[in-house]
Amino acid sequence: MDLDRDLNPQQREAVFHEGGPLLVLAGAGSGKTRVLTYRIARLVGRTGLAPYRILAITFTNKAADEMRGRIRQLVGEASREMWTGTFHSICARLLRQHGDLVGIERSFVIYDETDQLRLVKNCIRNLGLSDSQVRPAAVLALIDRAKNQGLEPPAGVLMPTGSRREEIEAVLRAYRDSLRQAGALDFGDLILFAHQLLREHPAVLARLRDRFRAILVDEYQDTNRAQHLFLKTLVPEGGDLCVVGDDDQSIYRWRGAEVENLLRFEKDFPGARILVLEQNYRSTANILRAAESVARGNPERHPKSLWTANDAGEKVTYLEAGTPDDEARAVAREIRSLVPARGFSFRDVAVLFRTNAQSRAFEESFLLFQIPYALVGTTRFYERTEIKDLTAYLRFLYNPKDSVSLQRILNRPARGIGKTTEEALVRLAAERGVSLWEGMEQAVTEPGLVSATAARRIREVVGTLVALRERAAAAPSLVKLLEDVLDRSGYSSFLESLPDKERRVENVEELLRTASAFEETQESTSLSETLGAFLEKVALVSEADQYSEKANVVTLMTLHCAKGLEFEIVFLVGMEDGLLPHQRSSLDAAGLAEERRLCYVGMTRARRKLYLTRARLRTRYGERQEAVPSPFLLDIPAELLETEQQRIETWPAAEPRRARRQPAATAAESGVHFDFSESQIDLPALPGVPAAGRRQTYRVGDRIEHEDLGRGIVRKVEGGGEKEKITVQFEHGGIRKLMARLSPIRKIER
DNA sequence: TTATAATTGTTTTTT
DNA sequence: ACAATTATAA
Ligand SMILES: Nc1ncnc2c1ncn2[C@@H]1O[C@H](COP(=O)(O)OP(=O)(O)OP(=O)(O)O)[C@@H](O)[C@H]1O
């Protein structure tokens, strides 16, 4: 790291800026993250600030670790003193230390979305309502929205018009009370209570302000209002706050992020300096131009003039394949031709998609083509049933009031406690205002609360858990504790009895390894402390944390996960209308704009070569449909694209029906022996193919230009010959149905 | 209470 | 199409 040589003048200005808040607002690949890292290096190396006086907030834990790693090279072990992490992990840390001041016990647990939903459902039931009267997911959305804005339900909740106002409010109150009862915080609470702590306890605030002389935040465009307000309270007037972000890369609006935090930074932090970085160092000129032309499609954006000194590079390849399987194979074949023949390694390649469901086709084709890959994100490790079960045991042992965890393990393994008993217990606890655990204790001591059989079985569970708790108190280590849980709860034998036990046991072993590794890094004194820290880490892992550039494998991940990363070669797959932009987001202009930004983020991950691919046919809700190219493709100037069209190769009827649940570990194992000649099917069987004599001259996806209406893309082709009709979506927004032979249109060559 | 059948919605993205 | 939830039977 060379502070003088590795930076351009604007970057240097940002790195050396002193005297108050600083916003670096800049496009993709312009070195924002580099500025943050170098700024820390400057603070430590030149200004002489001790690392423990620095707070660096990143979007993922992995980004935090990386930043710390860089600083470590500079100052060695002192870098450990620096506080880094996500907003959530930093707030959790604050609350572990000072939570008691705002009524939060030291051993609080963190509820994820599943836990939240369970709790909301309980609340609804306990109020004598049904799921269909008050939809749990809708209530949860209200709760999250309010909390993301820094409000506390039911106070800040904007009720949906009319319906069931009172009931919903009651659920909100019950939810809040149950969380407290359980000694649990949801994600939103972490920020909210940490903020409350700062507001209500000047002494704490003063200590923190005194300690943190420099605060840095990455990816500021994706912070929510609660986080912004937290920061506003934490940073003293004129304090050394440096945030970096790019409004074109704001992709978490759906989760409460407000790009306004970035755009109005100056208002909230008076005297703030705003710096702009304009040189992109990451991508070839062609890639950058293509990406910028997509981004420009959004009317509301902070104007930027991003440029690059890099070569034009290759054109962006646009590849149209037949089916999603074809798409995946085409990508695999392409990767095979690049690695190693053209000097690339597998680790240089990423396949980015909008939805996790798209990954399966790629996994299968990579197995077939023997391409090593790592799937980041999908079916999150800690959300797997057996892992959630085990961590629920741990959480209960850590905090017996955690009723959601207890409820989960009540009948896991099966102990004859069915839904009836479970509901009775949950209700009993709610009525008496006690935790589920206390409710259970009362149910076995006070006769008549539950049936005799139920009481007997509850007694058994209570016995098992009490024994476990005693063992836990004496357990020498986290791993030992987990092993105790496995053996003594009967969970081990339960796993063995399952049909897919191998996979599950493997996962459990993975958990044991993780716990063991975690324990090594911990220097806490008591097991309870280690356990708490472990549970917190488990609750706050980011999807993107799994990504590693160390392994020489192709990375498969969602566009959201790819934020902030870069790869030599990027395949942005599924470039179809309905997928990118996703149908569910395309309902309003704001949603569509976010999809566009997502596309921009994906494209700008590429350094040297970008592929945009799509399938012509895709199955949606069980039906095979003709897919329409993503409208974003229309925004890319044709001269930047190189189009490749492929015939449909794989067609379900021609494929042997093979198990598709779980891709096998190796290609050989998967039993996929693909002979392409066998699976090639003649086109006439497909929909949308012209019948003889009534030729269609247009195809869905063709680009056309209309004399008056401008450029557009063909969405639908009907009839043929003289009567051929095409439906066209024009760039200027309109959709028109035209007679192909009569209208003044022509196809645009690409 | 558990096993099976019928029905529902689900596909967005995730701290 | 498929998984997950819910109704029904045993
Ligand atoms: N002054 C510079 N000279 C050479 N390379 C640079 C310079 N600044 C940044 N880079 C390189 O450019 C690439 C992008 O930098 P960085 O990731 O910091 O950008 P960013 O603005 O955070 O990107 P994004 O917002 O797209 O995630 C990195 O590979 C980085 O090493």
Side-chain angles (χ1 to χ4, degrees):
Chain A
M1 256 201 264
D2 186 328
L3 284 176
D4 302 303
R5 286 226 326 259
D6 301 350
L7 302 169
N8 69 31
Q10 290 98 328
Q11 291 177 328
R12 206 173 299 126
E13 194 172 353
V15 164
F16 286 94
H17 169 82
E18 278 178 290
L22 170 67
L23 162 65
V24 179
L25 177 54
S30 58
K32 296 183 294 297
T33 306
R34 175 177 287 213
V35 162
L36 275 195
T37 313
Y38 277 65
R39 190 175 165 83
I40 298 175
R42 189 273 292 174
L43 288 163
V44 176
R46 296 272 170 99
T47 312
L49 199 66
Y52 85 96
R53 294 194 170 282
I54 294 171
L55 171 63
I57 305 177
T58 54
F59 199 72
T60 63
N61 297 297
K62 181 167 168 287
D65 289 345
E66 261 165 28
M67 202 160 276
R68 190 197 301 278
R70 305 293 288 278
I71 302 309
R72 188 198 187 126
Q73 292 171 2
L74 213 70
V75 299
E77 286 310 294
S79 65
R80 291 175 68 110
E81 307 283 307
M82 182 167 83
W83 264 33
T84 61
T86 62
F87 268 102
H88 289 95
S89 65
I90 280 159
C91 288
R93 195 164 166 183
L94 281 177
L95 291 172
R96 275 301 160 210
Q97 290 176 3
H98 309 290
D100 47 337
L101 293 173
V102 284
I104 291 164
E105 57 198 277
R106 205 149 290 258
S107 59
F108 69 84
V109 291
I110 299 167
Y111 276 3
D112 68 12
E113 200 179 326
T114 317
D115 303 321
Q116 285 182 291
L117 208 56
R118 176 78 264 150
L119 202 57
V120 171
K121 281 181 183 164
N122 286 350
C123 292
I124 291 173
R125 294 250 163 85
N126 291 338
L127 288 162
L129 301 163
S130 82
D131 283 13
S132 45
Q133 290 174 298
V134 178
R135 286 195 22 240
V139 174
L140 198 50
L142 291 175
I143 292 170
D144 279 339
R145 179 149 27 113
K147 289 187 176 181
N148 285 335
Q149 294 180 21
L151 304 167
E152 271 182 82
V157 171
L158 196 73
M159 286 293 169
T161 42
S163 63
R164 309 229 171 246
R165 204 195 152 80
E166 311 264 295
E167 287 92 336
I168 293 174
E169 248 180 45
V171 175
L172 294 174
R173 278 194 301 275
Y175 174 82
R176 178 197 57 200
D177 297 341
S178 319
L179 274 179
R180 199 152 273 258
Q181 171 75 250
L185 302 180
D186 61 25
F187 288 131
D189 285 340
L190 291 173
I191 314 292
L192 240 41
F193 282 108
H195 190 202
Q196 188 190 340
L197 172 71
L198 301 188
R199 270 181 290 131
E200 294 178 359
H201 296 276
V204 174
L205 179 60
R207 275 234 307 282
L208 290 172
R209 282 181 169 182
D210 180 58
R211 171 173 177 167
F212 295 126
R213 296 298 168 81
I215 297 175
L216 305 96
V217 190
D218 203 357
E219 309 279 11
Y220 205 70
Q221 74 281 355
D222 280 322
T223 54
N224 64 35
R225 189 133 89 224
Q227 294 164 338
H228 181 73
L229 294 171
F230 167 83
L231 210 56
K232 220 179 131 188
T233 304
L234 176 61
V235 177
E237 191 154 339
D240 186 345
L241 169 68
C242 171
V243 313
V244 309
D246 177 7
D247 56 323
D248 287 331
Q249 295 187 63
S250 154
I251 54 174
Y252 283 94
R253 202 185 65 98
W254 54 272
R255 203 176 74 181
E258 296 182 13
V259 70
E260 291 74 21
N261 292 341
L262 187 78
L263 300 174
R264 290 206 311 259
F265 185 76
E266 225 178 342
K267 282 215 180 66
D268 287 318
F269 294 94
R273 182 82 205 275
I274 299 181
L275 287 174
V276 176
L277 309 177
E278 294 186 319
Q279 182 172 3
N280 172 296
Y281 290 95
R282 180 181 295 140
S283 310
T284 64
N286 282 343
I287 292 170
L288 190 63
R289 269 185 68 202
E292 285 283 295
S293 52
V294 170
R296 266 195 296 275
N298 274 344
E300 283 179 51
R301 59 188 287 251
H302 193 90
K304 294 186 194 71
S305 46
L306 206 55
W307 62 280
T308 183
N310 294 340
D311 289 346
E314 288 181 33
K315 286 188 178 184
V316 175
T317 299
Y318 170 54
L319 196 149
E320 281 188 345
T323 64
D325 285 335
D326 293 343
E327 183 189 28
R329 288 190 183 141
V331 168
R333 231 174 276 135
E334 193 66 28
I335 293 173
R336 272 280 169 219
S337 77
L338 294 162
V339 182
R342 288 185 52 198
F344 291 106
S345 313
F346 288 121
R347 70 160 64 77
D348 294 329
V349 183
V351 176
L352 309 180
F353 37 78
R354 177 67 237 267
T355 67
N356 284 310
Q358 287 166 262
S359 68
R360 204 194 55 202
F362 289 91
E363 285 193 82
E364 286 178 358
S365 94
F366 285 7
L367 289 170
L368 186 66
F369 282 80
Q370 306 203 1
I371 294 171
Y373 66 89
L375 182 62
V376 177
T378 51
T379 44
R380 295 190 251 187
F381 181 71
Y382 293 106
E383 309 230 313
R384 292 175 196 181
T385 324
E386 56 279 9
I387 303 304
K388 275 228 93 175
D389 287 345
L390 285 172
T391 49
Y393 270 100
L394 292 183
R395 292 206 308 191
F396 168 74
L397 292 171
Y398 179 65
N399 173 0
K401 291 199 303 187
D402 178 353
S403 300
V404 168
S405 292
L406 178 54
Q407 192 178 346
R408 185 182 179 101
I409 58 180
L410 218 47
N411 201 32
R412 234 163 234 277
R415 301 179 173 108
I417 296 181
K419 212 161 76 182
T420 325
T421 313
E422 177 189 325
E423 264 172 34
L425 286 172
V426 168
R427 177 162 232 130
L428 173 74
E431 273 164 11
R432 299 194 166 188
V434 298
S435 69
L436 180 57
W437 177 245
E438 290 167 310
M440 285 168 70
E441 288 179 323
Q442 292 175 13
V444 293
T445 45
E446 290 176 43
L449 288 174
V450 292
S451 75
T453 0
R456 206 182 62 241
R457 288 176 171 152
I458 297 166
R459 198 167 292 122
E460 275 168 33
V461 182
V462 170
T464 307
L465 291 175
V466 166
L468 213 46
R469 204 155 62 176
E470 277 160 13
R471 301 271 310 181
S477 73
L478 197 54
V479 173
K480 198 80 198 53
L481 175 59
L482 259 171
E483 283 167 351
D484 269 352
V485 169
L486 279 162
D487 295 341
R488 310 197 135 237
S489 67
Y491 204 86
S492 259
S493 20
F494 166 66
L495 279 181
E496 292 295 329
S497 73
L498 295 172
D500 53 349
K501 64 174 181 184
E502 274 136 36
R503 197 168 49 85
R504 289 162 186 272
V505 168
E506 237 170 68
N507 286 335
V508 169
E509 279 163 3
E510 175 71 27
L511 180 68
L512 283 165
R513 274 196 298 277
T514 315
S516 160
F518 178 80
E519 216 157 16
E520 309 248 298
T521 68
Q522 280 291 300
E523 46 212 37
S524 42
T525 44
S526 70
L527 177 63
S528 168
E529 212 172 289
T530 307
L531 181 54
F534 181 66
L535 292 173
E536 184 175 308
K537 187 184 150 146
V538 165
L540 298 178
V541 279
S542 320
E543 294 281 16
D545 293 346
Q546 297 167 41
Y547 167 70
S548 159
E549 52 264 277
K550 289 199 196 89
N552 188 17
V553 298
V554 172
T555 301
L556 293 175
M557 64 181 154
T558 63
L559 288 165
H560 284 89
C561 273
K563 184 164 81 154
L565 304 178
E566 60 186 24
F567 302 90
E568 297 298 320
I569 300 162
V570 168
F571 291 86
L572 180 39
V573 304
M575 289 294 295
E576 294 149 41
D577 198 9
L579 210 47
L580 183 65
H582 199 277
Q583 196 143 39
R584 301 271 302 229
S585 313
S586 313
L587 302 170
D588 55 30
L592 201 62
E594 180 145 303
E595 296 293 305
R596 185 182 285 280
R597 292 192 295 268
L598 205 45
C599 184
Y600 174 75
V601 168
M603 294 172 78
T604 54
R605 296 311 95 197
R607 290 168 64 104
R608 307 231 331 245
K609 177 72 192 179
L610 173 65
Y611 294 83
L612 305 172
T613 75
R614 73 152 185 125
R616 287 201 289 273
L617 295 167
R618 196 169 291 267
T619 317
R620 276 192 90 74
Y621 295 101
E623 249 187 312
R624 211 155 255 269
Q625 288 180 346
E626 198 147 337
V628 171
S630 167
F632 302 147
L633 289 166
L634 282 178
D635 295 313
I636 303 172
E639 73 265 21
L640 296 180
L641 290 178
E642 194 171 63
T643 303
E644 245 180 76
Q645 307 225 347
Q646 297 195 339
R647 281 157 55 92
I648 289 165
E649 293 181 342
T650 58
W651 188 249
E655 241 178 301
R657 257 195 116 56
R658 55 184 203 268
R660 315 186 104 215
R661 302 295 319 277
Q662 204 84 45
T666 66
E669 226 176 281
S670 71
V672 189
H673 310 292
F674 229 86
D675 181 359
F676 286 115
S677 61
E678 219 177 75
S679 62
Q680 258 167 21
I681 284 209
D682 278 340
L683 287 170
L686 301 172
V689 170
R694 304 187 56 200
R695 280 189 67 82
Q696 294 180 324
T697 46
Y698 291 92
R699 283 214 348 238
V700 171
D702 282 350
R703 292 171 176 223
I704 58 106
E705 184 157 30
H706 186 281
E707 247 173 47
D708 312 315
L709 300 166
R711 298 207 305 174
I713 194 161
V714 176
R715 284 307 165 82
K716 201 172 166 192
V717 185
E718 292 157 288
E722 294 297 313
K723 288 183 188 147
E724 182 176 358
K725 292 176 277 291
I726 59 176
T727 308
V728 179
Q729 176 161 48
F730 287 97
E731 275 176 49
H732 304 294
I735 295 181
R736 293 281 285 270
K737 196 174 202 174
L738 307 166
M739 294 300 291
R741 295 299 137 77
L742 303 175
S743 309
I745 47 179
R746 64 179 180 86
K747 274 197 211 183
I748 304 173
E749 279 300 309
R750 276 189 290 147

